[in-house]
Amino acid sequence: MTKGDFRTTGQTEGQTLAVIALLNGGVTPPSDSVARLTQLQCDDGGFPSFLILDGQVCESEAPTTALVALALQRAGGHLPVVTRARSSLKKAQFTTGAWPAASYSIPGSAYATGWAAQTLRALGDRGHADAGLSWLSRQQLPGGGFAFEEGATDPLLYATAAAILAGAKSDLVTLTTPEPTPPTTPPTAPPTIPPPPLRRPAPPRLRPVRGRT
């Protein structure tokens, strides 16, 4: 484990989600943990899926690159790193509007496209984000979910979540909604309607008994 790594993560996305969770919770993440993300950037501007060490091969992946760029943009102070990641994402986009899950992948990935569209919209690249959203709209399965990549038929929760956030034209770091302000005046009690008066049943009529003759 390298300095700044969160325990048990092992993956760049896990490290990034931990940073985003702290930021969205109003907590400043450890500076070493944020710096660790910046140190993972590959030569092409993207980010690998694993927390690699110095000297290891760095293969960038679009969903990881998007997520890290989103976190660093939210953390602030890392404009050069974010700019390179942004350029890497735009270059990796297919003409269909989709992004692959990895640089060597051929089919478009709903998971990768969801994250990339979120990030590029947040960074101001609406054209690229809208192209990704158009592609996503053609990938939704009959049940409403999304598979990992085109051609697959099994809906996956994590792919669906990324695609839905992109479809809502939002992103993970701006998703948190402030707590609602409680009302200053107590709510008025609903009007009470008195129950209808009870009606006593009429006494039964007694038939006269005729005596025997």
Side-chain angles (χ1 to χ4, degrees), residues 41-48 58-66 69 80-94 98-100 102-103 116 119-120 123 125 128:
Q41 194 164 37
C42 302
D43 291 339
D44 63 359
F47 286 84
C58 190
E59 294 183 354
S60 61
E61 297 186 2
T64 308
T65 301
V81 178
V82 174
T83 300
R84 291 183 61 205
R86 177 182 183 180
S87 176
S88 174
L89 283 174
K90 291 193 288 187
K91 290 178 181 178
Q93 190 174 24
F94 290 162
W99 275 268
S103 58
T119 299
L120 289 179
L123 295 176
D125 293 302
H128 289 271

PDB file of all heavy atoms in Angstrom, residues 41-48 58-66 69 80-94 98-100 102-103 116 119-120 123 125 128:
ATOM      1  N   GLN A  41      -1.912   9.344 -13.102  1.00  0.00           N
ATOM      2  CA  GLN A  41      -2.232   9.736 -14.482  1.00  0.00           C
ATOM      3  C   GLN A  41      -1.232   9.140 -15.471  1.00  0.00           C
ATOM      4  O   GLN A  41      -0.021   9.197 -15.280  1.00  0.00           O
ATOM      5  CB  GLN A  41      -2.254  11.255 -14.613  1.00  0.00           C
ATOM      6  CG  GLN A  41      -2.889  11.742 -15.903  1.00  0.00           C
ATOM      7  CD  GLN A  41      -3.247  13.214 -15.833  1.00  0.00           C
ATOM      8  OE1 GLN A  41      -2.521  14.015 -15.238  1.00  0.00           O
ATOM      9  NE2 GLN A  41      -4.362  13.587 -16.450  1.00  0.00           N
ATOM     10  N   CYS A  42      -1.773   8.543 -16.536  1.00  0.00           N
ATOM     11  CA  CYS A  42      -0.938   7.942 -17.576  1.00  0.00           C
ATOM     12  C   CYS A  42      -0.416   9.019 -18.532  1.00  0.00           C
ATOM     13  O   CYS A  42      -0.848  10.177 -18.484  1.00  0.00           O
ATOM     14  CB  CYS A  42      -1.739   6.899 -18.361  1.00  0.00           C
ATOM     15  SG  CYS A  42      -2.427   5.564 -17.365  1.00  0.00           S
ATOM     16  N   ASP A  43       0.465   8.618 -19.428  1.00  0.00           N
ATOM     17  CA  ASP A  43       1.054   9.565 -20.380  1.00  0.00           C
ATOM     18  C   ASP A  43       0.001  10.167 -21.312  1.00  0.00           C
ATOM     19  O   ASP A  43       0.164  11.301 -21.780  1.00  0.00           O
ATOM     20  CB  ASP A  43       2.140   8.873 -21.205  1.00  0.00           C
ATOM     21  CG  ASP A  43       3.356   8.519 -20.367  1.00  0.00           C
ATOM     22  OD1 ASP A  43       3.546   9.137 -19.298  1.00  0.00           O
ATOM     23  OD2 ASP A  43       4.117   7.614 -20.779  1.00  0.00           O
ATOM     24  N   ASP A  44      -1.080   9.408 -21.589  1.00  0.00           N
ATOM     25  CA  ASP A  44      -2.108   9.922 -22.498  1.00  0.00           C
ATOM     26  C   ASP A  44      -3.146  10.780 -21.785  1.00  0.00           C
ATOM     27  O   ASP A  44      -4.120  11.226 -22.393  1.00  0.00           O
ATOM     28  CB  ASP A  44      -2.792   8.767 -23.232  1.00  0.00           C
ATOM     29  CG  ASP A  44      -3.531   7.821 -22.300  1.00  0.00           C
ATOM     30  OD1 ASP A  44      -3.505   8.026 -21.059  1.00  0.00           O
ATOM     31  OD2 ASP A  44      -4.142   6.845 -22.800  1.00  0.00           O
ATOM     32  N   GLY A  45      -2.962  10.992 -20.481  1.00  0.00           N
ATOM     33  CA  GLY A  45      -3.888  11.834 -19.725  1.00  0.00           C
ATOM     34  C   GLY A  45      -4.962  11.066 -18.998  1.00  0.00           C
ATOM     35  O   GLY A  45      -5.667  11.632 -18.154  1.00  0.00           O
ATOM     36  N   GLY A  46      -5.122   9.780 -19.322  1.00  0.00           N
ATOM     37  CA  GLY A  46      -6.133   8.973 -18.660  1.00  0.00           C
ATOM     38  C   GLY A  46      -5.632   8.387 -17.351  1.00  0.00           C
ATOM     39  O   GLY A  46      -4.512   8.651 -16.908  1.00  0.00           O
ATOM     40  N   PHE A  47      -6.484   7.561 -16.747  1.00  0.00           N
ATOM     41  CA  PHE A  47      -6.147   6.948 -15.465  1.00  0.00           C
ATOM     42  C   PHE A  47      -6.404   5.443 -15.526  1.00  0.00           C
ATOM     43  O   PHE A  47      -7.369   5.003 -16.160  1.00  0.00           O
ATOM     44  CB  PHE A  47      -6.969   7.570 -14.331  1.00  0.00           C
ATOM     45  CG  PHE A  47      -6.518   8.949 -13.954  1.00  0.00           C
ATOM     46  CD1 PHE A  47      -6.976  10.051 -14.665  1.00  0.00           C
ATOM     47  CD2 PHE A  47      -5.633   9.143 -12.911  1.00  0.00           C
ATOM     48  CE1 PHE A  47      -6.554  11.329 -14.332  1.00  0.00           C
ATOM     49  CE2 PHE A  47      -5.204  10.422 -12.574  1.00  0.00           C
ATOM     50  CZ  PHE A  47      -5.665  11.516 -13.286  1.00  0.00           C
ATOM     51  N   PRO A  48      -5.578   4.641 -14.850  1.00  0.00           N
ATOM     52  CA  PRO A  48      -5.755   3.194 -14.846  1.00  0.00           C
ATOM     53  C   PRO A  48      -6.794   2.778 -13.806  1.00  0.00           C
ATOM     54  O   PRO A  48      -7.125   3.545 -12.902  1.00  0.00           O
ATOM     55  CB  PRO A  48      -4.363   2.680 -14.467  1.00  0.00           C
ATOM     56  CG  PRO A  48      -3.832   3.740 -13.554  1.00  0.00           C
ATOM     57  CD  PRO A  48      -4.372   5.043 -14.088  1.00  0.00           C
ATOM     58  N   CYS A  58       0.879   1.552 -17.293  1.00  0.00           N
ATOM     59  CA  CYS A  58      -0.281   2.410 -17.051  1.00  0.00           C
ATOM     60  C   CYS A  58      -1.182   2.382 -18.276  1.00  0.00           C
ATOM     61  O   CYS A  58      -0.834   2.920 -19.329  1.00  0.00           O
ATOM     62  CB  CYS A  58       0.178   3.841 -16.758  1.00  0.00           C
ATOM     63  SG  CYS A  58      -1.127   4.945 -16.177  1.00  0.00           S
ATOM     64  N   GLU A  59      -2.325   1.729 -18.157  1.00  0.00           N
ATOM     65  CA  GLU A  59      -3.307   1.648 -19.241  1.00  0.00           C
ATOM     66  C   GLU A  59      -4.565   2.395 -18.812  1.00  0.00           C
ATOM     67  O   GLU A  59      -5.251   1.975 -17.880  1.00  0.00           O
ATOM     68  CB  GLU A  59      -3.633   0.193 -19.576  1.00  0.00           C
ATOM     69  CG  GLU A  59      -2.459  -0.580 -20.165  1.00  0.00           C
ATOM     70  CD  GLU A  59      -2.850  -2.001 -20.544  1.00  0.00           C
ATOM     71  OE1 GLU A  59      -4.003  -2.405 -20.246  1.00  0.00           O
ATOM     72  OE2 GLU A  59      -2.017  -2.704 -21.140  1.00  0.00           O
ATOM     73  N   SER A  60      -4.861   3.490 -19.476  1.00  0.00           N
ATOM     74  CA  SER A  60      -5.995   4.309 -19.082  1.00  0.00           C
ATOM     75  C   SER A  60      -7.317   3.680 -19.492  1.00  0.00           C
ATOM     76  O   SER A  60      -7.394   2.977 -20.502  1.00  0.00           O
ATOM     77  CB  SER A  60      -5.878   5.711 -19.684  1.00  0.00           C
ATOM     78  OG  SER A  60      -5.872   5.637 -21.095  1.00  0.00           O
ATOM     79  N   GLU A  61      -8.338   3.931 -18.697  1.00  0.00           N
ATOM     80  CA  GLU A  61      -9.692   3.466 -18.977  1.00  0.00           C
ATOM     81  C   GLU A  61     -10.646   4.639 -18.819  1.00  0.00           C
ATOM     82  O   GLU A  61     -10.540   5.411 -17.852  1.00  0.00           O
ATOM     83  CB  GLU A  61     -10.070   2.318 -18.043  1.00  0.00           C
ATOM     84  CG  GLU A  61      -9.186   1.087 -18.218  1.00  0.00           C
ATOM     85  CD  GLU A  61      -9.652  -0.103 -17.390  1.00  0.00           C
ATOM     86  OE1 GLU A  61     -10.690   0.010 -16.707  1.00  0.00           O
ATOM     87  OE2 GLU A  61      -8.968  -1.144 -17.430  1.00  0.00           O
ATOM     88  N   ALA A  62     -11.585   4.739 -19.740  1.00  0.00           N
ATOM     89  CA  ALA A  62     -12.470   5.909 -19.779  1.00  0.00           C
ATOM     90  C   ALA A  62     -13.294   6.094 -18.505  1.00  0.00           C
ATOM     91  O   ALA A  62     -13.365   7.228 -17.982  1.00  0.00           O
ATOM     92  CB  ALA A  62     -13.389   5.822 -20.999  1.00  0.00           C
ATOM     93  N   PRO A  63     -13.948   5.054 -17.965  1.00  0.00           N
ATOM     94  CA  PRO A  63     -14.760   5.304 -16.771  1.00  0.00           C
ATOM     95  C   PRO A  63     -13.933   5.761 -15.578  1.00  0.00           C
ATOM     96  O   PRO A  63     -14.352   6.640 -14.820  1.00  0.00           O
ATOM     97  CB  PRO A  63     -15.443   3.958 -16.510  1.00  0.00           C
ATOM     98  CG  PRO A  63     -14.629   2.950 -17.241  1.00  0.00           C
ATOM     99  CD  PRO A  63     -14.066   3.664 -18.418  1.00  0.00           C
ATOM    100  N   THR A  64     -12.740   5.170 -15.422  1.00  0.00           N
ATOM    101  CA  THR A  64     -11.868   5.583 -14.321  1.00  0.00           C
ATOM    102  C   THR A  64     -11.386   7.005 -14.524  1.00  0.00           C
ATOM    103  O   THR A  64     -11.368   7.823 -13.590  1.00  0.00           O
ATOM    104  CB  THR A  64     -10.669   4.634 -14.209  1.00  0.00           C
ATOM    105  OG1 THR A  64     -11.131   3.289 -14.149  1.00  0.00           O
ATOM    106  CG2 THR A  64      -9.858   4.939 -12.975  1.00  0.00           C
ATOM    107  N   THR A  65     -11.002   7.330 -15.750  1.00  0.00           N
ATOM    108  CA  THR A  65     -10.539   8.685 -16.066  1.00  0.00           C
ATOM    109  C   THR A  65     -11.620   9.715 -15.767  1.00  0.00           C
ATOM    110  O   THR A  65     -11.348  10.773 -15.170  1.00  0.00           O
ATOM    111  CB  THR A  65     -10.132   8.770 -17.553  1.00  0.00           C
ATOM    112  OG1 THR A  65      -9.088   7.819 -17.811  1.00  0.00           O
ATOM    113  CG2 THR A  65      -9.653  10.159 -17.909  1.00  0.00           C
ATOM    114  N   ALA A  66     -12.847   9.396 -16.146  1.00  0.00           N
ATOM    115  CA  ALA A  66     -13.955  10.327 -15.905  1.00  0.00           C
ATOM    116  C   ALA A  66     -14.196  10.531 -14.417  1.00  0.00           C
ATOM    117  O   ALA A  66     -14.390  11.666 -13.952  1.00  0.00           O
ATOM    118  CB  ALA A  66     -15.221   9.797 -16.584  1.00  0.00           C
ATOM    119  N   ALA A  69     -11.328  12.595 -12.802  1.00  0.00           N
ATOM    120  CA  ALA A  69     -11.416  14.001 -13.199  1.00  0.00           C
ATOM    121  C   ALA A  69     -12.543  14.709 -12.469  1.00  0.00           C
ATOM    122  O   ALA A  69     -12.412  15.872 -12.051  1.00  0.00           O
ATOM    123  CB  ALA A  69     -11.621  14.101 -14.711  1.00  0.00           C
ATOM    124  N   PRO A  80      -4.314  21.387 -14.211  1.00  0.00           N
ATOM    125  CA  PRO A  80      -3.550  20.729 -15.278  1.00  0.00           C
ATOM    126  C   PRO A  80      -3.881  19.245 -15.422  1.00  0.00           C
ATOM    127  O   PRO A  80      -3.983  18.729 -16.545  1.00  0.00           O
ATOM    128  CB  PRO A  80      -2.091  20.943 -14.851  1.00  0.00           C
ATOM    129  CG  PRO A  80      -2.116  22.141 -13.978  1.00  0.00           C
ATOM    130  CD  PRO A  80      -3.419  22.069 -13.249  1.00  0.00           C
ATOM    131  N   VAL A  81      -4.065  18.563 -14.303  1.00  0.00           N
ATOM    132  CA  VAL A  81      -4.396  17.135 -14.347  1.00  0.00           C
ATOM    133  C   VAL A  81      -5.786  16.942 -14.945  1.00  0.00           C
ATOM    134  O   VAL A  81      -6.003  16.063 -15.797  1.00  0.00           O
ATOM    135  CB  VAL A  81      -4.323  16.518 -12.939  1.00  0.00           C
ATOM    136  CG1 VAL A  81      -4.705  15.040 -12.967  1.00  0.00           C
ATOM    137  CG2 VAL A  81      -2.934  16.688 -12.353  1.00  0.00           C
ATOM    138  N   VAL A  82      -6.739  17.760 -14.519  1.00  0.00           N
ATOM    139  CA  VAL A  82      -8.105  17.656 -15.029  1.00  0.00           C
ATOM    140  C   VAL A  82      -8.148  17.974 -16.518  1.00  0.00           C
ATOM    141  O   VAL A  82      -8.872  17.318 -17.289  1.00  0.00           O
ATOM    142  CB  VAL A  82      -9.048  18.592 -14.238  1.00  0.00           C
ATOM    143  CG1 VAL A  82     -10.437  18.611 -14.858  1.00  0.00           C
ATOM    144  CG2 VAL A  82      -9.125  18.156 -12.776  1.00  0.00           C
ATOM    145  N   THR A  83      -7.384  18.957 -16.946  1.00  0.00           N
ATOM    146  CA  THR A  83      -7.366  19.334 -18.361  1.00  0.00           C
ATOM    147  C   THR A  83      -6.861  18.197 -19.229  1.00  0.00           C
ATOM    148  O   THR A  83      -7.408  17.916 -20.302  1.00  0.00           O
ATOM    149  CB  THR A  83      -6.501  20.585 -18.561  1.00  0.00           C
ATOM    150  OG1 THR A  83      -7.039  21.663 -17.785  1.00  0.00           O
ATOM    151  CG2 THR A  83      -6.468  21.003 -20.019  1.00  0.00           C
ATOM    152  N   ARG A  84      -5.804  17.523 -18.797  1.00  0.00           N
ATOM    153  CA  ARG A  84      -5.280  16.393 -19.558  1.00  0.00           C
ATOM    154  C   ARG A  84      -6.274  15.235 -19.584  1.00  0.00           C
ATOM    155  O   ARG A  84      -6.447  14.574 -20.612  1.00  0.00           O
ATOM    156  CB  ARG A  84      -3.954  15.936 -18.957  1.00  0.00           C
ATOM    157  CG  ARG A  84      -2.798  16.912 -19.142  1.00  0.00           C
ATOM    158  CD  ARG A  84      -1.524  16.338 -18.570  1.00  0.00           C
ATOM    159  NE  ARG A  84      -1.165  15.094 -19.264  1.00  0.00           N
ATOM    160  CZ  ARG A  84      -0.429  14.137 -18.719  1.00  0.00           C
ATOM    161  NH1 ARG A  84       0.000  14.255 -17.469  1.00  0.00           N
ATOM    162  NH2 ARG A  84      -0.122  13.063 -19.412  1.00  0.00           N
ATOM    163  N   ALA A  85      -6.942  14.985 -18.467  1.00  0.00           N
ATOM    164  CA  ALA A  85      -7.949  13.917 -18.414  1.00  0.00           C
ATOM    165  C   ALA A  85      -9.124  14.252 -19.329  1.00  0.00           C
ATOM    166  O   ALA A  85      -9.659  13.369 -20.025  1.00  0.00           O
ATOM    167  CB  ALA A  85      -8.423  13.720 -16.978  1.00  0.00           C
ATOM    168  N   ARG A  86      -9.509  15.500 -19.339  1.00  0.00           N
ATOM    169  CA  ARG A  86     -10.607  15.955 -20.210  1.00  0.00           C
ATOM    170  C   ARG A  86     -10.267  15.725 -21.675  1.00  0.00           C
ATOM    171  O   ARG A  86     -11.098  15.229 -22.451  1.00  0.00           O
ATOM    172  CB  ARG A  86     -10.851  17.428 -19.924  1.00  0.00           C
ATOM    173  CG  ARG A  86     -11.893  18.121 -20.764  1.00  0.00           C
ATOM    174  CD  ARG A  86     -11.945  19.586 -20.354  1.00  0.00           C
ATOM    175  NE  ARG A  86     -12.963  20.336 -21.065  1.00  0.00           N
ATOM    176  CZ  ARG A  86     -13.178  21.638 -20.853  1.00  0.00           C
ATOM    177  NH1 ARG A  86     -12.458  22.290 -19.964  1.00  0.00           N
ATOM    178  NH2 ARG A  86     -14.120  22.263 -21.546  1.00  0.00           N
ATOM    179  N   SER A  87      -9.048  16.070 -22.072  1.00  0.00           N
ATOM    180  CA  SER A  87      -8.610  15.852 -23.450  1.00  0.00           C
ATOM    181  C   SER A  87      -8.575  14.375 -23.786  1.00  0.00           C
ATOM    182  O   SER A  87      -8.960  13.963 -24.890  1.00  0.00           O
ATOM    183  CB  SER A  87      -7.231  16.483 -23.641  1.00  0.00           C
ATOM    184  OG  SER A  87      -6.721  16.228 -24.934  1.00  0.00           O
ATOM    185  N   SER A  88      -8.129  13.556 -22.842  1.00  0.00           N
ATOM    186  CA  SER A  88      -8.077  12.110 -23.068  1.00  0.00           C
ATOM    187  C   SER A  88      -9.468  11.531 -23.301  1.00  0.00           C
ATOM    188  O   SER A  88      -9.662  10.680 -24.180  1.00  0.00           O
ATOM    189  CB  SER A  88      -7.417  11.432 -21.862  1.00  0.00           C
ATOM    190  OG  SER A  88      -7.459  10.021 -21.983  1.00  0.00           O
ATOM    191  N   LEU A  89     -10.441  12.004 -22.543  1.00  0.00           N
ATOM    192  CA  LEU A  89     -11.810  11.513 -22.698  1.00  0.00           C
ATOM    193  C   LEU A  89     -12.380  11.878 -24.065  1.00  0.00           C
ATOM    194  O   LEU A  89     -13.038  11.060 -24.721  1.00  0.00           O
ATOM    195  CB  LEU A  89     -12.703  12.081 -21.587  1.00  0.00           C
ATOM    196  CG  LEU A  89     -12.567  11.442 -20.205  1.00  0.00           C
ATOM    197  CD1 LEU A  89     -13.403  12.203 -19.195  1.00  0.00           C
ATOM    198  CD2 LEU A  89     -12.974   9.980 -20.246  1.00  0.00           C
ATOM    199  N   LYS A  90     -12.147  13.083 -24.491  1.00  0.00           N
ATOM    200  CA  LYS A  90     -12.689  13.514 -25.783  1.00  0.00           C
ATOM    201  C   LYS A  90     -12.066  12.731 -26.939  1.00  0.00           C
ATOM    202  O   LYS A  90     -12.743  12.399 -27.911  1.00  0.00           O
ATOM    203  CB  LYS A  90     -12.484  15.023 -25.958  1.00  0.00           C
ATOM    204  CG  LYS A  90     -13.354  15.853 -25.016  1.00  0.00           C
ATOM    205  CD  LYS A  90     -13.388  17.324 -25.385  1.00  0.00           C
ATOM    206  CE  LYS A  90     -12.090  18.017 -25.090  1.00  0.00           C
ATOM    207  NZ  LYS A  90     -12.195  19.486 -25.296  1.00  0.00           N
ATOM    208  N   LYS A  91     -10.789  12.415 -26.819  1.00  0.00           N
ATOM    209  CA  LYS A  91     -10.136  11.638 -27.866  1.00  0.00           C
ATOM    210  C   LYS A  91     -10.610  10.183 -27.887  1.00  0.00           C
ATOM    211  O   LYS A  91     -10.619   9.542 -28.946  1.00  0.00           O
ATOM    212  CB  LYS A  91      -8.618  11.674 -27.662  1.00  0.00           C
ATOM    213  CG  LYS A  91      -7.986  13.032 -27.938  1.00  0.00           C
ATOM    214  CD  LYS A  91      -6.489  12.992 -27.672  1.00  0.00           C
ATOM    215  CE  LYS A  91      -5.837  14.339 -27.906  1.00  0.00           C
ATOM    216  NZ  LYS A  91      -4.379  14.311 -27.591  1.00  0.00           N
ATOM    217  N   ALA A  92     -11.002   9.669 -26.741  1.00  0.00           N
ATOM    218  CA  ALA A  92     -11.393   8.255 -26.643  1.00  0.00           C
ATOM    219  C   ALA A  92     -12.822   8.007 -27.115  1.00  0.00           C
ATOM    220  O   ALA A  92     -13.226   6.841 -27.271  1.00  0.00           O
ATOM    221  CB  ALA A  92     -11.234   7.769 -25.205  1.00  0.00           C
ATOM    222  N   GLN A  93     -13.615   9.044 -27.327  1.00  0.00           N
ATOM    223  CA  GLN A  93     -15.018   8.862 -27.705  1.00  0.00           C
ATOM    224  C   GLN A  93     -15.143   8.330 -29.126  1.00  0.00           C
ATOM    225  O   GLN A  93     -14.471   8.794 -30.046  1.00  0.00           O
ATOM    226  CB  GLN A  93     -15.769  10.195 -27.570  1.00  0.00           C
ATOM    227  CG  GLN A  93     -17.282  10.042 -27.720  1.00  0.00           C
ATOM    228  CD  GLN A  93     -18.006  11.360 -27.444  1.00  0.00           C
ATOM    229  OE1 GLN A  93     -17.428  12.445 -27.569  1.00  0.00           O
ATOM    230  NE2 GLN A  93     -19.268  11.262 -27.063  1.00  0.00           N
ATOM    231  N   PHE A  94     -16.017   7.321 -29.292  1.00  0.00           N
ATOM    232  CA  PHE A  94     -16.291   6.779 -30.621  1.00  0.00           C
ATOM    233  C   PHE A  94     -17.149   7.762 -31.416  1.00  0.00           C
ATOM    234  O   PHE A  94     -17.802   8.645 -30.857  1.00  0.00           O
ATOM    235  CB  PHE A  94     -17.031   5.444 -30.513  1.00  0.00           C
ATOM    236  CG  PHE A  94     -16.198   4.308 -29.976  1.00  0.00           C
ATOM    237  CD1 PHE A  94     -16.821   3.166 -29.471  1.00  0.00           C
ATOM    238  CD2 PHE A  94     -14.818   4.353 -29.986  1.00  0.00           C
ATOM    239  CE1 PHE A  94     -16.069   2.108 -28.982  1.00  0.00           C
ATOM    240  CE2 PHE A  94     -14.056   3.302 -29.508  1.00  0.00           C
ATOM    241  CZ  PHE A  94     -14.683   2.178 -28.996  1.00  0.00           C
ATOM    242  N   ALA A  98     -20.380   6.820 -28.098  1.00  0.00           N
ATOM    243  CA  ALA A  98     -20.080   5.966 -26.949  1.00  0.00           C
ATOM    244  C   ALA A  98     -18.610   6.038 -26.573  1.00  0.00           C
ATOM    245  O   ALA A  98     -17.770   6.502 -27.340  1.00  0.00           O
ATOM    246  CB  ALA A  98     -20.463   4.524 -27.260  1.00  0.00           C
ATOM    247  N   TRP A  99     -18.324   5.538 -25.367  1.00  0.00           N
ATOM    248  CA  TRP A  99     -16.948   5.331 -24.915  1.00  0.00           C
ATOM    249  C   TRP A  99     -16.752   3.840 -24.639  1.00  0.00           C
ATOM    250  O   TRP A  99     -17.673   3.165 -24.160  1.00  0.00           O
ATOM    251  CB  TRP A  99     -16.663   6.099 -23.635  1.00  0.00           C
ATOM    252  CG  TRP A  99     -16.266   7.515 -23.823  1.00  0.00           C
ATOM    253  CD1 TRP A  99     -15.004   8.018 -23.940  1.00  0.00           C
ATOM    254  CD2 TRP A  99     -17.143   8.653 -23.898  1.00  0.00           C
ATOM    255  NE1 TRP A  99     -15.041   9.382 -24.095  1.00  0.00           N
ATOM    256  CE2 TRP A  99     -16.335   9.806 -24.067  1.00  0.00           C
ATOM    257  CE3 TRP A  99     -18.534   8.808 -23.841  1.00  0.00           C
ATOM    258  CZ2 TRP A  99     -16.865  11.083 -24.173  1.00  0.00           C
ATOM    259  CZ3 TRP A  99     -19.074  10.072 -23.949  1.00  0.00           C
ATOM    260  CH2 TRP A  99     -18.240  11.199 -24.120  1.00  0.00           C
ATOM    261  N   PRO A 100     -15.570   3.321 -24.905  1.00  0.00           N
ATOM    262  CA  PRO A 100     -15.282   1.929 -24.551  1.00  0.00           C
ATOM    263  C   PRO A 100     -14.894   1.825 -23.085  1.00  0.00           C
ATOM    264  O   PRO A 100     -14.442   2.806 -22.482  1.00  0.00           O
ATOM    265  CB  PRO A 100     -14.102   1.582 -25.459  1.00  0.00           C
ATOM    266  CG  PRO A 100     -13.370   2.889 -25.605  1.00  0.00           C
ATOM    267  CD  PRO A 100     -14.427   3.967 -25.599  1.00  0.00           C
ATOM    268  N   ALA A 102     -12.399   0.105 -22.005  1.00  0.00           N
ATOM    269  CA  ALA A 102     -10.938   0.146 -21.976  1.00  0.00           C
ATOM    270  C   ALA A 102     -10.442   0.560 -23.354  1.00  0.00           C
ATOM    271  O   ALA A 102     -11.180   0.483 -24.343  1.00  0.00           O
ATOM    272  CB  ALA A 102     -10.358  -1.204 -21.579  1.00  0.00           C
ATOM    273  N   SER A 103      -9.203   0.984 -23.441  1.00  0.00           N
ATOM    274  CA  SER A 103      -8.666   1.500 -24.700  1.00  0.00           C
ATOM    275  C   SER A 103      -8.648   0.450 -25.804  1.00  0.00           C
ATOM    276  O   SER A 103      -8.717   0.788 -26.986  1.00  0.00           O
ATOM    277  CB  SER A 103      -7.249   2.034 -24.477  1.00  0.00           C
ATOM    278  OG  SER A 103      -6.412   1.011 -23.959  1.00  0.00           O
ATOM    279  N   ALA A 116     -18.346   9.128 -18.454  1.00  0.00           N
ATOM    280  CA  ALA A 116     -17.698  10.130 -19.305  1.00  0.00           C
ATOM    281  C   ALA A 116     -18.643  11.282 -19.618  1.00  0.00           C
ATOM    282  O   ALA A 116     -18.233  12.456 -19.611  1.00  0.00           O
ATOM    283  CB  ALA A 116     -17.212   9.468 -20.590  1.00  0.00           C
ATOM    284  N   THR A 119     -18.953  13.612 -16.566  1.00  0.00           N
ATOM    285  CA  THR A 119     -17.768  14.434 -16.326  1.00  0.00           C
ATOM    286  C   THR A 119     -17.621  15.542 -17.364  1.00  0.00           C
ATOM    287  O   THR A 119     -17.365  16.705 -17.018  1.00  0.00           O
ATOM    288  CB  THR A 119     -16.515  13.556 -16.317  1.00  0.00           C
ATOM    289  OG1 THR A 119     -16.642  12.604 -15.253  1.00  0.00           O
ATOM    290  CG2 THR A 119     -15.263  14.382 -16.123  1.00  0.00           C
ATOM    291  N   LEU A 120     -17.782  15.204 -18.636  1.00  0.00           N
ATOM    292  CA  LEU A 120     -17.599  16.221 -19.671  1.00  0.00           C
ATOM    293  C   LEU A 120     -18.681  17.297 -19.595  1.00  0.00           C
ATOM    294  O   LEU A 120     -18.412  18.467 -19.877  1.00  0.00           O
ATOM    295  CB  LEU A 120     -17.570  15.559 -21.050  1.00  0.00           C
ATOM    296  CG  LEU A 120     -16.301  14.743 -21.325  1.00  0.00           C
ATOM    297  CD1 LEU A 120     -16.364  14.113 -22.708  1.00  0.00           C
ATOM    298  CD2 LEU A 120     -15.054  15.612 -21.196  1.00  0.00           C
ATOM    299  N   LEU A 123     -17.625  19.603 -16.960  1.00  0.00           N
ATOM    300  CA  LEU A 123     -16.470  20.413 -17.366  1.00  0.00           C
ATOM    301  C   LEU A 123     -16.796  21.367 -18.511  1.00  0.00           C
ATOM    302  O   LEU A 123     -15.916  22.091 -18.980  1.00  0.00           O
ATOM    303  CB  LEU A 123     -15.313  19.493 -17.771  1.00  0.00           C
ATOM    304  CG  LEU A 123     -14.737  18.625 -16.649  1.00  0.00           C
ATOM    305  CD1 LEU A 123     -13.663  17.696 -17.192  1.00  0.00           C
ATOM    306  CD2 LEU A 123     -14.183  19.485 -15.515  1.00  0.00           C
ATOM    307  N   ASP A 125     -18.177  20.494 -21.628  1.00  0.00           N
ATOM    308  CA  ASP A 125     -18.190  19.916 -22.980  1.00  0.00           C
ATOM    309  C   ASP A 125     -19.555  19.278 -23.258  1.00  0.00           C
ATOM    310  O   ASP A 125     -19.689  18.051 -23.299  1.00  0.00           O
ATOM    311  CB  ASP A 125     -17.073  18.879 -23.114  1.00  0.00           C
ATOM    312  CG  ASP A 125     -15.700  19.518 -23.052  1.00  0.00           C
ATOM    313  OD1 ASP A 125     -15.416  20.394 -23.892  1.00  0.00           O
ATOM    314  OD2 ASP A 125     -14.921  19.155 -22.154  1.00  0.00           O
ATOM    315  N   HIS A 128     -20.012  16.756 -26.488  1.00  0.00           N
ATOM    316  CA  HIS A 128     -19.559  15.381 -26.281  1.00  0.00           C
ATOM    317  C   HIS A 128     -20.505  14.640 -25.331  1.00  0.00           C
ATOM    318  O   HIS A 128     -20.811  13.459 -25.546  1.00  0.00           O
ATOM    319  CB  HIS A 128     -18.142  15.374 -25.707  1.00  0.00           C
ATOM    320  CG  HIS A 128     -17.094  15.792 -26.689  1.00  0.00           C
ATOM    321  ND1 HIS A 128     -16.453  14.900 -27.518  1.00  0.00           N
ATOM    322  CD2 HIS A 128     -16.573  17.018 -26.984  1.00  0.00           C
ATOM    323  CE1 HIS A 128     -15.580  15.539 -28.266  1.00  0.00           C
ATOM    324  NE2 HIS A 128     -15.638  16.837 -27.974  1.00  0.00           N
TER     325      HIS A 128
END
